[in-house]
Amino acid sequence: MKIRKKDGVIGSFEAFCLCNYLIYTKMFLAMPRHLIEEAGPIAWAVPILVLIFSLLFFYILTNLLQRFEDLSFLEIIGELWGSSMQWIIGVLFAFLFLVITAYQLRIIGEFLLSTLLPQTPLSAVLFIMVATFVYLAYFGIENLARLAGLLFPWLLVAFVVTFLLAVGRGEFYNFSPWLGYGEWRLFVSTVNHIGIYKEILLLAFIAPLFRKHQTLRRTGFTSLIFVAFFFFFAMAIYIYVFPVHTGSELGFPLFQLTRLVYYGAFLQRIDPLFMFVWASISIVGMATGLYVSALSLAQGAKASDYRPFLFPLAVILLAIAFYHESSMEAVKNYRLFPAYIAIPFFGIPILAWLWALLFHRQRRQRQ
Amino acid sequence: MKIKSSSLPKAIFLSLLLLLTLLNTGCWDRRELESLAFVLTLGIDQSAIDNQYDFTFRIAVPGNLDPRGGKGTSAEEMPDTSKVVTVTARSLPEAISLLRTSIERSLDFRHLRVVIFGEELAYKEGLLFHIDHLERDPHFRRTIYVWINKFGTARDVFLINMPVLEAFVTRYIEGTNESIRETGYARPIILHDLVAETEEHHVDTVIPLICINPIIEEEKKDGKIVPMPTEKYRESVKDIIGGEQMEHINRSGGNPLEIIGLAVIQEGKMIEQISGWESRVYSLLRDSYRYGTWTFEDPEVENKTFAVELYRSRPPRVEIDWQKEDPVTIDITFFLEGNVRDIQSLEKYISPETYPLLEGVVTKVIAEQTIELISKMQELETDPFYLARFIRTQMLYKQEYIALDWKKRFAQAEVNVTVDFNLRRPGLVIQPMVIPEQE
């Protein structure tokens, strides 16, 4: 099945950018605060430890995809466990991607209201954002990926410059005591955030769009390593500037970091630069989330086009985003559920791989 | 004209985008520059009424600003660039909303540069009750400076401020903070530092002290500073060396305000004040010192001095044997370098052979002043120098660090100070001037 009628192919760089945006969106929310609260001064190590697991997982995933070249992840599920399971798992992943995107949407909406637009109704912010997601997702992965690729170098420079400018406020001793609250707390934090890079599964949904399996494999590994470096980079600067106790209580941590940049009258108030980075990454990331959700439903139902699902999903997205009464409630749940969401994200592909390994010896070649 | 079916979605989305551009102009949150009143400085004092505070706001009047900037200002011009308003209320947010009843524009704090606390409030109740709003409200930035009035209320500081050069108070604040950075007579503290150091274990924070000089206060008449006659000035000055004690500097003319010295803050309350000289030693210990001009007594000629521009060459080395039983020993080594700036006695000290004479005085004085300041803080069981930072970098676990009980151990510690100081350059002359008759 094609992902969409007349779908083309996706380039390695564009797919890499898309993965980065989709995964990195969460870093602009409350994640740095949660990490520093759980692991203390060694919170910078969590993204690296999770990376080790994620690389292993992605190796398994590519192994599975290689066995069924030219098939997407859900089509492989259909091949292994039948159409019903393909539909069930398609619906499940559609729901999971939608929930993740909805929570991110709500928290970003609350962020805008808390900082820049205190008088604007939440509904106005969320409706506008969802309309943008639908618009971006409607024109498909190719457009999303090209947009992501076009913006990427600018965002990268702006991101690095903004964060490096905040370094002037930091103290090296903030990284000590070196093991933070101890190895056990570090391990627990790693487990809690095991799903940081779970969205890499996106590549499995669009696998048939890659010209070669090797391109997909290379894109996935590069994305994981690159995005992990930037999780580490932002986290290290956050710890360097904010001691553990202060860093554990800040709303919108990375935004607060950029608001500290002040080098006299001529270099200050660079937070709008950060807002540009943050908004671009988040909007493309969340639009990709909505796209994958619709794609998952379409692939699960073996529909020839994902686009009819976009609008209904957007309505559900808004409904979930509005579900929580307060911002803290949304943040609290968004903190808790990723650890559970990671179970199907990692569990189902690993199970499918084991199944293929044990019961489906016939290799399928790309046509 | 018939629209192709494939063009229809594009047309819809385009219309939607156009609609969004209208919405994105921010109807709800529009903030026109002409409708805003920018608060530049904020003062907080204990009120005469129980459980209430006096909040003093300096609001900019941008229309009266001279766009050329940096232009000298006379006493009559200064009040026109800003207005001072005081509101008594139970809390800062309440004061801000009450102030709105008398200000014709929306108050905006995005250009607020300093928060000044009165001495009484800082001593008795502390500052922390007023910090939360500054941290929580997005209008305020964590880069705003914090000062304390050494001998009075924050409101007095607002009323008497007469910058020598700057017509705009924000520039005055920036310039003043730059000056204290350059002289080392205080440490500029922003809200972020105050919060971070208050929340950190085993350290007490400091805040720069601003004070009103009574000599110049006396010279202020009808909104002007008129320097007093020389005879009267000679009667007004005290027998002190500027910066050594907590007293004001012997000075006439200029701004009645001077910023020198630091307040030591423990759990949000001011527990001690340290002088300008002590503040420089503090900065050396806290490693916030960069450079400044120090004056020392001449080693050979009585009642004469020599001056050195002293800068830090490396961060201080502090070794603490914290794992042994009390009292712990703290060995501190400063690494300093300097350039000769004045030899008042006209003695020929500029040669590699005689340099040690001057270097010996510098190392002795700085070591003595350091020991003296540390002893003073030990008596108060406070460590504003954050010496525990040298211990935390030797530790693996935060629990261990939290359980250190540092302030008690610091109070009993034996302290040794070594100053590694080298004179580098003599300035633009080698030996001082020679008087032929005295040769």
Side-chain angles (χ1 to χ4, degrees):
Chain A
M1 186 196 83
K2 279 283 184 188
I3 286 173
R4 200 196 119 183
K5 285 173 187 170
K6 294 178 186 172
D7 253 331
V9 290
I10 190 165
S12 174
F13 176 68
E14 285 79 7
F16 160 84
C17 296
L18 215 53
C19 287
N20 273 279
Y21 289 24
L22 185 62
I23 296 170
Y24 210 77
T25 303
K26 61 176 84 67
M27 193 59 176
F28 295 112
L29 310 177
M31 189 178 226
R33 181 175 77 229
H34 297 154
L35 285 176
I36 203 170
E37 193 185 335
E38 289 169 18
I42 199 178
W44 56 266
V46 175
I48 296 170
L49 293 174
V50 175
L51 174 69
I52 298 167
F53 169 79
S54 301
L55 288 173
L56 188 70
F57 165 74
F58 191 70
Y59 173 78
I60 293 170
L61 184 69
T62 48
N63 208 287
L64 173 72
L65 293 169
Q66 198 175 14
R67 289 176 166 271
F68 301 90
E69 278 194 55
D70 210 24
L71 290 189
S72 74
F73 172 64
L74 284 175
E75 288 164 335
I76 296 171
I77 296 290
E79 188 103 345
L80 292 175
W81 297 330
S83 300
S84 314
M85 280 308 284
Q86 183 176 348
W87 184 79
I88 291 168
I89 291 173
V91 172
L92 174 71
F93 275 105
F95 177 71
L96 294 179
F97 272 108
L98 201 68
V99 170
I100 294 169
T101 311
Y103 270 93
Q104 289 176 343
L105 175 69
R106 172 63 185 265
I107 297 168
I108 284 171
E110 295 286 354
F111 166 67
L112 281 171
L113 262 63
S114 306
T115 54
L116 298 175
L117 307 168
Q119 310 296 327
T120 308
L122 180 64
S123 53
V125 174
L126 298 196
F127 277 122
I128 290 169
M129 289 181 83
V130 170
T132 317
F133 301 160
V134 173
Y135 176 80
L136 289 172
Y138 185 85
F139 291 102
I141 189 78
E142 201 176 330
N143 285 282
L144 266 172
R146 279 190 184 165
L147 178 65
L150 269 174
L151 287 172
F152 192 78
W154 305 104
L155 296 179
L156 188 68
V157 173
F159 180 88
V160 172
V161 168
T162 318
F163 281 76
L164 286 181
L165 284 173
V167 164
R169 297 268 176 224
E171 295 287 358
F172 185 69
Y173 55 71
N174 282 343
F175 289 110
S176 66
W178 307 108
L179 290 177
Y181 294 113
E183 297 88 337
W184 175 248
R185 287 274 293 265
L186 178 64
F187 173 74
V188 170
S189 180
T190 306
V191 172
N192 284 344
H193 293 91
I194 199 76
I196 297 178
Y197 315 117
K198 61 184 176 303
E199 290 88 353
I200 196 72
L201 198 63
L202 160 75
L203 294 180
F205 283 87
I206 58 168
L209 293 184
F210 286 89
R211 281 186 200 278
K212 290 179 189 169
H213 178 76
Q214 283 82 353
T215 316
L216 181 148
R217 182 190 284 257
R218 195 178 59 236
T219 307
F221 282 120
T222 331
S223 301
L224 281 173
I225 292 166
F226 191 87
V227 84
F229 171 75
F230 276 95
F231 268 94
F232 158 78
F233 172 74
M235 208 53 226
I237 291 182
Y238 187 65
I239 298 165
Y240 186 64
V241 174
F242 292 106
V244 170
H245 304 281
T246 310
S248 307
E249 296 300 333
L250 290 180
F252 314 110
L254 296 190
F255 176 66
Q256 298 260 29
L257 192 67
T258 57
R259 268 167 66 101
L260 278 181
V261 175
Y262 192 93
Y263 291 91
F266 297 104
L267 188 57
Q268 53 169 298
R269 296 166 200 273
I270 59 154
D271 26 311
L273 188 65
F274 168 79
M275 294 297 280
F276 163 69
V277 175
W278 163 80
S280 307
I281 293 179
S282 301
I283 286 173
V284 177
M286 287 190 287
T288 312
L290 178 66
Y291 166 80
V292 188
S293 180
L295 187 67
S296 179
L297 265 189
Q299 288 183 353
K302 294 186 179 178
S304 61
D305 197 343
Y306 71 92
R307 287 178 297 179
F309 295 101
L310 277 178
F311 187 72
L313 282 175
V315 174
I316 301 170
L317 181 75
L318 275 170
I320 302 171
F322 278 117
Y323 176 73
H324 292 294
E325 284 187 9
S326 75
S327 63
M328 281 318 290
E329 213 178 307
V331 171
K332 190 181 159 195
N333 283 341
Y334 184 66
R335 181 181 185 174
L336 288 176
F337 81 79
Y340 302 109
I341 274 192
I343 298 169
F345 262 88
F346 296 131
I348 294 172
I350 291 173
L351 211 62
W353 173 70
L354 284 174
W355 192 278
L357 215 62
L358 296 171
F359 308 114
H360 199 96
R361 299 225 164 225
Q362 195 185 352
R363 254 179 131 82
R364 192 189 149 113
Q365 290 302 313
R366 188 180 274 260
Q367 289 167 358
Chain B
M1 190 181 74
K2 198 178 172 185
I3 299 169
K4 280 184 189 174
S5 62
S6 63
S7 310
L8 194 65
K10 283 183 186 172
I12 292 169
F13 276 117
L14 207 63
S15 316
L16 193 64
L17 274 181
L18 282 172
L19 187 71
L20 290 182
T21 52
L22 286 176
L23 292 174
N24 281 337
T25 53
C27 294
W28 290 281
D29 278 292
R30 70 185 184 282
R31 278 181 292 203
E32 302 296 337
L33 201 60
E34 296 80 14
S35 66
L36 297 176
F38 291 103
V39 178
L40 305 176
T41 56
L42 168 65
I44 307 176
D45 288 305
Q46 193 81 55
S47 168
I49 304 161
D50 281 348
N51 304 320
Q52 294 209 35
Y53 308 92
D54 295 337
F55 297 94
T56 307
F57 304 84
R58 185 182 283 280
I59 299 162
V61 185
N64 292 349
L65 266 180
D66 190 321
R68 284 169 292 176
K71 189 187 149 206
T73 174
S74 71
E76 307 90 72
E77 281 173 319
M78 180 59 194
D80 290 335
T81 61
S82 59
K83 303 272 185 198
V84 174
V85 188
T86 303
V87 178
T88 300
R90 290 173 302 169
S91 69
L92 179 55
E94 188 174 65
I96 293 168
S97 32
L98 290 173
L99 181 61
R100 285 293 308 274
T101 60
S102 62
I103 303 283
E104 56 275 28
R105 294 182 179 185
S106 298
L107 288 172
D108 193 294
F109 291 84
R110 282 174 294 172
H111 290 272
L112 181 77
R113 287 311 296 133
V114 69
V115 178
I116 307 173
F117 291 92
E119 180 201 18
E120 190 191 352
L121 178 70
Y123 258 129
K124 286 186 180 167
E125 201 181 287
L127 327 171
L128 299 188
F129 302 110
H130 306 285
I131 298 293
D132 189 68
H133 182 64
L134 299 175
E135 272 200 283
R136 201 174 290 280
D137 191 305
H139 271 124
F140 299 95
R141 287 176 173 261
R142 295 171 79 93
T143 48
I144 47 181
Y145 292 107
V146 186
W147 295 347
I148 289 177
N149 185 0
K150 199 193 288 184
F151 302 127
T153 64
R155 191 168 185 271
D156 289 339
V157 171
F158 280 63
L159 296 180
I160 206 149
N161 191 13
M162 305 269 297
V164 176
L165 295 168
E166 298 296 355
F168 204 38
V169 75
T170 308
R171 289 205 194 117
Y172 161 74
I173 294 158
E174 293 295 343
T176 308
N177 277 294
E178 197 49 45
S179 296
I180 60 176
R181 220 174 257 125
E182 285 172 8
T183 59
Y185 281 133
R187 174 190 166 201
I189 288 283
I190 57 169
L191 182 65
H192 167 70
D193 301 323
L194 176 65
V195 172
E197 290 180 14
T198 304
E199 288 188 320
E200 190 58 86
H201 290 92
H202 313 311
V203 59
D204 291 319
T205 191
V206 293
I207 293 177
L209 289 168
I210 189 159
C211 74
I212 300 164
N213 190 313
I215 303 175
I216 299 121
E217 192 180 18
E218 210 181 309
E219 292 176 335
K220 190 181 178 187
K221 283 188 186 88
D222 304 326
K224 284 183 182 173
I225 303 287
V226 182
M228 58 179 66
T230 309
E231 209 51 43
K232 197 179 174 194
Y233 176 64
R234 284 182 174 170
E235 284 166 17
S236 305
V237 294
K238 287 183 179 177
D239 184 13
I240 51 165
I241 299 172
E244 186 185 15
Q245 308 295 327
M246 290 309 297
E247 274 101 329
H248 59 85
I249 296 168
N250 285 325
R251 181 165 71 86
S252 166
N255 193 340
L257 295 179
E258 54 201 28
I259 187 156
I260 184 165
L262 290 167
V264 179
I265 308 292
Q266 195 171 57
E267 294 169 22
K269 287 183 185 172
M270 178 161 71
I271 57 162
E272 181 61 299
Q273 295 183 345
I274 61 175
S275 69
W277 284 20
E278 289 170 324
S279 300
R280 293 203 291 205
V281 173
Y282 161 86
S283 299
L284 286 172
L285 286 161
R286 190 68 180 86
D287 198 26
S288 57
Y289 180 87
R290 291 300 172 264
Y291 48 84
T293 304
W294 297 52
T295 305
F296 302 91
E297 283 179 15
D298 192 284
E300 305 219 315
V301 183
E302 214 177 321
N303 297 326
K304 289 285 174 276
T305 59
F306 71 95
V308 174
E309 188 186 60
L310 202 85
Y311 47 95
R312 188 209 70 158
S313 60
R314 273 191 282 153
R317 188 178 63 217
V318 178
E319 284 163 3
I320 306 170
D321 56 353
W322 56 280
Q323 279 164 322
K324 76 161 204 179
E325 289 286 302
D326 283 338
V328 295
T329 311
I330 304 174
D331 293 310
I332 301 165
T333 311
F334 293 129
F335 299 96
L336 306 169
E337 291 179 355
N339 300 329
V340 179
R341 282 290 167 259
D342 178 40
I343 302 172
Q344 208 181 28
S345 63
L346 305 180
E347 289 294 314
K348 294 179 178 175
Y349 290 130
I350 308 297
S351 78
E353 290 73 36
T354 45
Y355 264 171
L357 212 58
L358 301 184
E359 288 168 348
V361 175
V362 173
T363 52
K364 185 171 170 278
V365 169
I366 293 177
E368 279 172 5
Q369 285 184 8
T370 309
I371 296 277
E372 209 173 303
L373 179 64
I374 290 176
S375 307
K376 195 172 164 183
M377 294 300 115
Q378 281 177 315
E379 280 171 27
L380 294 166
E381 231 175 73
T382 176
D383 178 11
F385 320 111
Y386 198 14
L387 295 174
R389 70 188 192 270
F390 296 98
I391 301 176
R392 69 183 279 182
T393 50
Q394 295 171 38
M395 286 180 164
L396 283 181
Y397 302 109
K398 196 152 174 67
Q399 294 88 332
E400 190 187 2
Y401 174 67
I402 292 169
L404 188 62
D405 199 14
W406 173 245
K407 285 180 192 167
K408 281 206 172 77
R409 300 188 73 185
F410 168 71
Q412 298 162 24
E414 288 165 4
V415 183
N416 305 310
V417 179
T418 313
V419 180
D420 182 340
F421 172 69
N422 291 299
L423 275 173
R424 293 290 182 211
R425 290 160 210 97
L428 295 184
V429 288
I430 309 303
Q431 300 299 358
M433 68 172 89
V434 178
I435 303 165
E437 286 77 10
Q438 289 180 7
E439 269 213 310

